[in-house]
Amino acid sequence: MSQSLWAEQALLPEGWARHVLLRWNEAGTLLQVTPGTSTEELPAGTHRASGPVIPGMPNLHSHAFQRAFAGLTEYRDQGQDSFWTWRTLMYRFAARLSPEQMEAIATWLYIEMLQAGYTSVCEFHYIHHDADGRAYSDDGALAHSLLRAAKRAGIGMTLLPVLYQTSGFGGTPPNEGQRRFIRSTDNMLALLDKLRPACDLQGVRLGVAPHSLRAVPPASLNAVLAGLDSISPNAPIHIHIAEQTAEVEACLAWSGQRPVQWLMNHAQVDSRWCLVHATHMDEAEYRGAAQSGAVAGLCPTTEANLGDGIFDFPAWRSFGGAWGVGSDSHACVDPAEDLLMLEYSQRLALRRRNIGSDSEHSQVARAIWLQAVAGGAQAAGRSVQGLVPGQQADFIVLDEKHVALQGLPADLMLASHVFASSRSRAISSVWTGGRQRVKDGFHPLQSEAIEAFVRSRTELLST
Ligand code: ZN
């Protein structure tokens, strides 16, 4: 049995098309995307989209538990707060988290993602052990919390268990705040093996994330990549890199090379890789990393929140680099807002407008939405490349009755959704795997998920 939806207008990879029939199978895979289909030709039971249809956005970088902590660090604690002072507070919060709290926080977060138009998530999962740093009796307990949350919310997932071993370049031992993160390389490969059946059953893509060059020594990086190759040669590999200038300086002091330069010289970086942030690169690094086929994992609102710096978007794109967006620390959970922040950070830095348009798409919102879907899908290692046969039926129906959109052509509706919907969401419904998860802004589990989320946050703040 298949299902179908007909849209007056839909955004395909090449641009807007009219009278589009989308048809998918029971597994939620698109079988047909056919423009020019008249309403008389529709299969029985075809849904009619109430507004323009655009592809769902893959979220390429998330630390789910941090959602419960968003907004709680916006005060000055020291003479000069930075990423590093924020991290100390985040570690204190992470130290107390239970598997039940992880599931509650992630379930509500994933519902929020769906409501905002993120249809899948790459979960960069680094809290593995109990509060004392000992393995749970089920070593994958916290990973299973995340898998259950994704299943309940109905969001697609790429699970990236994180390898974390040292607190700094040159093998500095981990500190007290990092005790829940630490695994040997063999232990990490064993975890991947253990998680695989549950991931396969749920359609979750399993990859691995060496946390960063400061947290994974060279021998361990080689070993985990070799181990991954023998388990799953095409699996996604994500790494935090060059987010902070202090990290660049420490890497230079340790190796004489900048982080991205070092990585390019010591690992076979290719299209499986997602370089998360990659903010501080010199021109040769921008060229080398972009041309390697790796995706730049941009998290513009988190990078702004943490004072990381500004990615050189024109340089990356001039070398043909792929990119996507992630909500990372979840200070903001909305792909439209992250795309807005990306474009605006470029305008502020360059004192120009409309940086994100490209040769095929002069409309900035259309260009950056499509590019971020393509790069996000590549980073996810899942079939979520947009409205194309063979890909997942993951899509958003825009709300043409929203005041920012009413009466406009579809292209300007998307532009208004990204640039002018006034911090509301001009979204009518959200579908993943061909199933409607959000309708008129509501998700069926919303009330109970909010209750459990607030309870968990209160517990975490009071212990
Ligand atoms: Zn991150």
Side-chain angles (χ1 to χ4, degrees), residues 61-63 66 124 126 211 240 243 276-277 299 302 328-329:
H61 192 62
S62 162
H63 310 287
Q66 292 182 12
F124 198 104
Y126 62 86
H211 179 274
H240 288 133
E243 177 179 8
V276 181
H277 306 301
C299 308
T302 291
D328 191 358
S329 69

Side-chain angles (χ1 to χ4, degrees), residues 25-79:
N25 64 16
E26 197 61 15
T29 305
L30 285 166
L31 301 171
Q32 191 184 347
V33 178
T34 313
T37 308
S38 78
T39 50
E40 292 91 63
E41 304 168 61
L42 299 181
T46 298
H47 305 274
R48 301 274 189 102
S50 59
V53 172
I54 61 173
M57 184 64 71
N59 186 339
L60 59 61
H61 192 62
S62 162
H63 310 287
F65 78 93
Q66 292 182 12
R67 180 55 171 161
F69 177 70
L72 306 184
T73 59
E74 309 302 319
Y75 60 92
R76 189 182 290 180
D77 188 36
Q78 305 192 4

Side-chain angles (χ1 to χ4, degrees), residues 3 12 54 69 108 118 169 179 237 243 287 431 437:
Q3 286 185 287
L12 312 188
I54 61 173
F69 177 70
W108 170 235
Y118 280 125
F169 292 98
R179 65 188 179 279
I237 304 161
E243 177 179 8
R287 186 191 302 108
W431 304 59
R437 309 293 180 174

